[in-house]
Amino acid sequence: MRRSAEHLSTPRQDHGEGTRRGAGRPRAARLRTRTSVLAASAVLVAAGATDALRGTAHAAPAARVDNPYAGAGVYVNPEWSAKAAAEPGGGKVAGQPTGVWLDRIAAIGGTGGSMGLRGHLDTALRQAAGRPLVVQLVVYNLPGRDCAALASNGELGPTDIDAYKTRYIDPVAAVLADPKYASLRIVTTVEIDSLPNLVTNTGGRATATPQCDAMLANGNYVKGVGYALNKLGAVPNVYNYVDAGHHGWIGWDDNFGASARVLHQAATAEGSTVDKVHGFITNTANYSALKEENFALGDSVAGRSVRESKWVDWNRYADELSFAQAFRQEAVRAGFRPDLGMLIDTSRNGWGGSARPSGPGPRTHVDAYVDAGRYDRRLHVGNWCNQAGAGLGERPRTAPAAGIDAYVWMKPPGESDGSSSAIPNDEGKGFDRMCDPAYEGNPRNNHHRSGALPGAPLSGHWFSAQFRELLKNAHPAV
């Protein structure tokens, strides 16, 4: 999954304290439970454990709720669970819920012996066993996908908007609308890495690419997302969360408000309305630390603001929680509903292990202060591919902070971000040098090394070495 760090400008960190989903919007019944998204009966340690779960396949339709994760279990993908359990020590986390990625048309029916969408939903009905259950889907197949990178390019060309609608979104919506699945709470993460690219990687920006300029000009990202929101949001038990990047991409002044406005444009395109957007998700498949506790943007060192440090680089946010809470408020200002909820992907942002700092750095220089104290140990905040030293983050849980519906593992830990070298494939995925451990030629990350692990397979494929490192560096520890 690509992530670009593009920036400029000035201050403020907003922690968004107050009511969870927009002050003052009355609800007949606000569900604010902090129950874990993993109920004990949903814990699986291997694929075979799923067969032991029995429930009715035709439960009553689920009532629409404020927070779909409240009072519910979350689907454990038995295929991911089996891979995790097969790794040394992996059984300790193999029962965690992760997202199911629909990253090409063939994934709807299932590819290479893998389960298709109906297979996952049928398994979810058995796991539900009569209680509320969330199923997390990643909708990820826009035409001209990933216009600013190569590792997760897709199968559809920049002008294939009709194929996206009729061969991808329409079939997904038809499956989700089957009354058989009406009792499930289906959470969709809609098209990561797409709309913010239209802000950060187009026009006169130093980071502009011809591919992103083409997608801005033809409008197919906006049309595609609008169509997806409209069709999927018409299913009563679907909750759409649109990808909103992460703080190390969107947190600068020239990106922040502009991204919210582009998201609103898409949410009101192709017949969609803001009512089809339940919320936003940040840090999807990325590594940004949830909370940086050893420094704050208001700190000064030797007369210099932390925001002047090379790491922060005038960003208004130092971590993902503050960014997500502030972005929710910015989205409301852009025209979205005031009861929006946010999700944060914490699957790989723990940054634990022996390299995790125990306190602030020295006050000799602002860079030393930040670099020695920050949890995020990447060489640059724009590095995004298979990052060395990363660890599993906070376990999935419900309503963990103001404005946040849940911490989730939308990116299944152990699935690669992209191959370390060129690999011929029939999935439309290219080779991105940001996945090459030796690469240091990207001006977007100030020519730092990519920080990628060696030996990585194609994006979405199992990467055992990465999973083992994530397990070792988990924070909280496993």
Side-chain angles (χ1 to χ4, degrees):
M1 312 302 105
R2 80 137 245 21
R3 289 308 197 258
S4 72
E6 223 266 351
H7 44 276
L8 260 170
S9 300
T10 29
R12 199 207 89 199
Q13 197 171 19
D14 189 337
H15 291 276
E17 297 302 330
T19 56
R20 188 182 64 82
R21 304 262 308 261
R25 187 172 199 276
R27 282 261 186 197
R30 280 219 179 259
L31 299 177
R32 299 180 184 279
T33 119
R34 287 179 176 253
T35 52
S36 168
V37 293
L38 261 190
S41 60
V43 175
L44 305 180
V45 293
T50 303
D51 295 333
L53 294 168
R54 291 291 181 265
T56 171
H58 295 280
R64 193 80 181 167
V65 296
D66 180 51
N67 180 353
Y69 291 85
V74 185
Y75 174 61
V76 179
N77 180 349
E79 294 181 320
W80 176 83
S81 182
K83 292 173 185 175
E87 299 288 352
K92 295 177 181 179
V93 297
Q96 295 289 351
T98 54
V100 174
W101 287 58
L102 303 175
D103 65 350
R104 55 195 184 280
I105 292 166
I108 302 169
T111 60
S114 296
M115 297 166 66
L117 179 55
R118 283 193 179 274
H120 285 292
L121 296 177
D122 289 340
T123 305
L125 289 174
R126 293 194 293 272
Q127 286 187 22
R131 68 200 169 95
L133 190 81
V134 171
V135 179
Q136 303 175 124
L137 305 177
V138 179
V139 177
Y140 187 51
N141 199 30
L142 273 178
R145 189 178 73 191
D146 212 354
C147 64
L150 298 171
S152 42
N153 286 164
E155 63 186 352
L156 300 178
T159 62
D160 290 337
I161 187 65
D162 290 339
Y164 176 77
K165 292 177 179 180
T166 61
R167 296 178 55 209
Y168 179 68
I169 294 298
D170 287 355
V172 170
V175 172
L176 300 186
D178 188 330
K180 178 181 182 181
Y181 306 122
S183 64
L184 299 171
R185 299 177 184 177
I186 299 169
V187 164
T188 61
T189 289
V190 177
E191 295 295 358
I192 68 172
D193 287 343
S194 59
L195 297 174
N197 273 322
L198 301 182
V199 174
T200 66
N201 296 309
T202 57
R205 301 278 188 121
T207 53
T209 70
Q211 295 87 349
C212 289
D213 280 331
M215 299 317 300
L216 178 63
N218 68 26
N220 285 342
Y221 277 5
V222 169
K223 294 173 188 174
V225 170
Y227 189 85
L229 293 172
N230 191 39
K231 293 288 287 191
L232 302 175
V235 181
N237 56 317
V238 168
Y239 299 80
N240 287 321
Y241 290 80
V242 185
D243 182 77
H246 61 95
H247 92 276
W249 181 13
I250 306 304
W252 285 275
D253 282 356
D254 54 343
N255 299 341
F256 192 68
S259 293
R261 292 190 292 274
V262 168
L263 290 168
H264 186 269
Q265 181 187 2
T268 52
E270 298 291 306
S272 181
T273 71
V274 294
D275 291 338
K276 300 289 180 70
V277 177
H278 201 76
F280 296 94
I281 180 169
T282 76
N283 205 46
T284 313
N286 205 254
Y287 300 85
S288 296
L290 183 64
K291 290 190 237 181
E292 290 286 7
E293 298 170 313
N294 293 329
F295 69 92
L297 296 191
D299 294 349
S300 293
V301 177
R304 296 181 63 187
S305 166
V306 157
R307 294 190 64 232
E308 296 182 58
S309 67
K310 291 178 182 177
W311 175 257
V312 177
D313 195 19
W314 298 105
N315 198 319
R316 288 194 184 272
Y317 306 97
D319 54 36
E320 218 45 37
L321 179 58
S322 62
F323 169 77
Q325 290 170 324
F327 191 84
R328 188 186 72 79
Q329 296 177 347
E330 185 66 20
V332 172
R333 285 190 286 270
F336 286 96
R337 292 169 59 100
D339 59 346
L340 287 172
M342 301 293 293
L343 305 177
I344 301 176
D345 188 347
T346 60
S347 56
R348 305 183 300 180
N349 70 348
W351 295 104
S354 59
R356 185 177 178 86
S358 58
R363 285 189 164 271
T364 54
H365 189 276
V366 69
D367 287 330
Y369 177 70
V370 171
D371 287 341
R374 58 184 169 91
Y375 296 140
D376 188 336
R377 304 313 299 167
R378 285 179 290 179
L379 299 174
H380 188 270
V381 72
N383 287 356
W384 54 267
C385 193
N386 301 321
Q387 292 299 283
L392 301 173
E394 288 277 352
R395 311 306 178 257
R397 60 190 175 108
T398 300
I404 311 300
D405 280 350
Y407 296 152
V408 297
W409 283 8
M410 203 60 71
K411 171 72 172 182
E415 291 189 2
S416 174
D417 294 318
S419 59
S420 301
S421 58
I423 299 175
N425 67 93
D426 60 0
E427 299 177 26
K429 296 170 181 175
F431 167 53
D432 194 297
R433 292 297 304 277
M434 287 298 287
C435 299
D436 175 359
Y439 182 58
E440 51 189 21
N442 192 340
R444 289 183 190 155
N445 75 344
N446 297 329
H447 299 282
H448 285 82
R449 286 211 168 189
S450 68
L453 290 167
L458 287 174
S459 63
H461 291 231
W462 189 253
F463 189 9
S464 177
Q466 185 193 49
F467 180 85
R468 296 181 188 198
E469 185 160 299
L470 292 170
L471 196 66
K472 179 184 71 174
N473 294 329
H475 185 86
V478 173

Short mmCIF file of all heavy atoms in Angstrom, two decimals, residues 161 164-166 169-170 222-232 266 269-270 272:
data_model
loop_
_atom_site.label_atom_id
_atom_site.label_comp_id
_atom_site.label_asym_id
_atom_site.label_seq_id
_atom_site.Cartn_x
_atom_site.Cartn_y
_atom_site.Cartn_z
N ILE A 161 -13.83 2.48 -15.89
CA ILE A 161 -14.82 2.77 -14.85
C ILE A 161 -16.07 1.92 -15.01
O ILE A 161 -16.67 1.50 -14.02
CB ILE A 161 -15.18 4.29 -14.84
CG1 ILE A 161 -16.08 4.64 -13.67
CG2 ILE A 161 -15.78 4.71 -16.17
CD1 ILE A 161 -15.46 4.46 -12.32
N TYR A 164 -15.41 -1.43 -13.54
CA TYR A 164 -15.41 -1.32 -12.08
C TYR A 164 -16.83 -1.37 -11.53
O TYR A 164 -17.11 -2.08 -10.54
CB TYR A 164 -14.73 -0.01 -11.68
CG TYR A 164 -14.74 0.29 -10.19
CD1 TYR A 164 -13.86 -0.36 -9.32
CD2 TYR A 164 -15.63 1.21 -9.65
CE1 TYR A 164 -13.85 -0.09 -7.97
CE2 TYR A 164 -15.63 1.50 -8.29
CZ TYR A 164 -14.75 0.85 -7.45
OH TYR A 164 -14.77 1.12 -6.11
N LYS A 165 -17.72 -0.66 -12.18
CA LYS A 165 -19.10 -0.62 -11.71
C LYS A 165 -19.81 -1.95 -11.91
O LYS A 165 -20.42 -2.48 -10.96
CB LYS A 165 -19.87 0.49 -12.44
CG LYS A 165 -19.42 1.90 -12.12
CD LYS A 165 -20.20 2.92 -12.96
CE LYS A 165 -19.81 4.34 -12.65
NZ LYS A 165 -20.57 5.32 -13.49
N THR A 166 -19.77 -2.47 -13.12
CA THR A 166 -20.63 -3.62 -13.46
C THR A 166 -20.01 -4.97 -13.12
O THR A 166 -20.74 -5.91 -12.79
CB THR A 166 -20.97 -3.59 -14.95
OG1 THR A 166 -19.76 -3.67 -15.72
CG2 THR A 166 -21.72 -2.31 -15.30
N ILE A 169 -18.20 -3.69 -8.38
CA ILE A 169 -19.07 -3.18 -7.33
C ILE A 169 -20.46 -3.81 -7.39
O ILE A 169 -21.00 -4.23 -6.34
CB ILE A 169 -19.18 -1.64 -7.40
CG1 ILE A 169 -17.83 -1.01 -7.07
CG2 ILE A 169 -20.27 -1.13 -6.45
CD1 ILE A 169 -17.33 -1.29 -5.67
N ASP A 170 -21.07 -3.91 -8.55
CA ASP A 170 -22.42 -4.50 -8.65
C ASP A 170 -22.47 -5.92 -8.10
O ASP A 170 -23.37 -6.25 -7.31
CB ASP A 170 -22.93 -4.45 -10.09
CG ASP A 170 -23.31 -3.04 -10.54
OD1 ASP A 170 -23.27 -2.12 -9.70
OD2 ASP A 170 -23.65 -2.87 -11.73
N VAL A 222 -13.10 9.69 -8.24
CA VAL A 222 -14.28 10.30 -7.61
C VAL A 222 -15.54 9.54 -8.01
O VAL A 222 -16.37 9.20 -7.17
CB VAL A 222 -14.38 11.79 -7.99
CG1 VAL A 222 -15.73 12.36 -7.58
CG2 VAL A 222 -13.25 12.57 -7.34
N LYS A 223 -15.67 9.24 -9.29
CA LYS A 223 -16.86 8.51 -9.77
C LYS A 223 -16.91 7.11 -9.17
O LYS A 223 -17.97 6.64 -8.74
CB LYS A 223 -16.83 8.42 -11.29
CG LYS A 223 -16.99 9.74 -12.02
CD LYS A 223 -16.77 9.54 -13.52
CE LYS A 223 -16.71 10.86 -14.27
NZ LYS A 223 -16.36 10.66 -15.70
N GLY A 224 -15.77 6.45 -9.15
CA GLY A 224 -15.75 5.08 -8.64
C GLY A 224 -16.11 5.00 -7.17
O GLY A 224 -16.91 4.17 -6.75
N VAL A 225 -15.52 5.89 -6.36
CA VAL A 225 -15.82 5.88 -4.93
C VAL A 225 -17.28 6.26 -4.70
O VAL A 225 -17.98 5.64 -3.89
CB VAL A 225 -14.87 6.81 -4.16
CG1 VAL A 225 -15.32 6.99 -2.72
CG2 VAL A 225 -13.45 6.26 -4.19
N GLY A 226 -17.77 7.28 -5.42
CA GLY A 226 -19.16 7.66 -5.28
C GLY A 226 -20.10 6.51 -5.63
O GLY A 226 -21.08 6.25 -4.92
N TYR A 227 -19.79 5.81 -6.71
CA TYR A 227 -20.64 4.68 -7.11
C TYR A 227 -20.61 3.58 -6.06
O TYR A 227 -21.65 3.00 -5.71
CB TYR A 227 -20.16 4.14 -8.46
CG TYR A 227 -21.09 3.11 -9.06
CD1 TYR A 227 -22.17 3.51 -9.83
CD2 TYR A 227 -20.87 1.76 -8.87
CE1 TYR A 227 -23.03 2.57 -10.39
CE2 TYR A 227 -21.72 0.81 -9.44
CZ TYR A 227 -22.80 1.23 -10.19
OH TYR A 227 -23.66 0.29 -10.73
N ALA A 228 -19.41 3.27 -5.55
CA ALA A 228 -19.29 2.23 -4.54
C ALA A 228 -20.08 2.60 -3.28
O ALA A 228 -20.81 1.77 -2.72
CB ALA A 228 -17.82 2.00 -4.20
N LEU A 229 -19.94 3.84 -2.83
CA LEU A 229 -20.67 4.27 -1.63
C LEU A 229 -22.18 4.18 -1.84
O LEU A 229 -22.92 3.74 -0.95
CB LEU A 229 -20.28 5.70 -1.26
CG LEU A 229 -18.85 5.91 -0.78
CD1 LEU A 229 -18.55 7.39 -0.63
CD2 LEU A 229 -18.60 5.18 0.54
N ASN A 230 -22.63 4.58 -3.01
CA ASN A 230 -24.06 4.58 -3.29
C ASN A 230 -24.62 3.17 -3.33
O ASN A 230 -25.65 2.87 -2.70
CB ASN A 230 -24.33 5.29 -4.62
CG ASN A 230 -25.81 5.55 -4.85
OD1 ASN A 230 -26.53 5.90 -3.92
ND2 ASN A 230 -26.26 5.38 -6.07
N LYS A 231 -23.95 2.28 -4.06
CA LYS A 231 -24.45 0.91 -4.20
C LYS A 231 -24.32 0.11 -2.90
O LYS A 231 -25.26 -0.58 -2.49
CB LYS A 231 -23.70 0.20 -5.33
CG LYS A 231 -23.95 0.76 -6.69
CD LYS A 231 -25.34 0.43 -7.21
CE LYS A 231 -25.45 -1.03 -7.62
NZ LYS A 231 -26.70 -1.31 -8.36
N LEU A 232 -23.17 0.19 -2.25
CA LEU A 232 -22.97 -0.56 -1.02
C LEU A 232 -23.78 0.04 0.12
O LEU A 232 -24.35 -0.68 0.94
CB LEU A 232 -21.49 -0.60 -0.66
CG LEU A 232 -20.56 -1.21 -1.72
CD1 LEU A 232 -19.11 -1.08 -1.29
CD2 LEU A 232 -20.91 -2.66 -2.00
N ALA A 266 -16.45 13.07 -3.61
CA ALA A 266 -16.72 11.68 -3.98
C ALA A 266 -17.98 11.15 -3.31
O ALA A 266 -18.75 10.39 -3.91
CB ALA A 266 -15.53 10.81 -3.62
N ALA A 269 -21.03 12.05 -5.31
CA ALA A 269 -20.98 11.75 -6.75
C ALA A 269 -21.76 10.48 -7.06
O ALA A 269 -22.01 9.65 -6.17
CB ALA A 269 -19.52 11.58 -7.19
N GLU A 270 -22.15 10.33 -8.31
CA GLU A 270 -22.77 9.10 -8.81
C GLU A 270 -24.00 8.68 -8.00
O GLU A 270 -24.22 7.48 -7.77
CB GLU A 270 -21.75 7.96 -8.84
CG GLU A 270 -20.56 8.22 -9.75
CD GLU A 270 -20.95 8.21 -11.23
OE1 GLU A 270 -21.53 7.22 -11.68
OE2 GLU A 270 -20.64 9.21 -11.93
N SER A 272 -24.57 9.15 -4.82
CA SER A 272 -24.34 8.97 -3.39
C SER A 272 -24.63 10.26 -2.64
O SER A 272 -24.68 11.34 -3.21
CB SER A 272 -22.90 8.53 -3.14
OG SER A 272 -22.66 8.31 -1.76
#
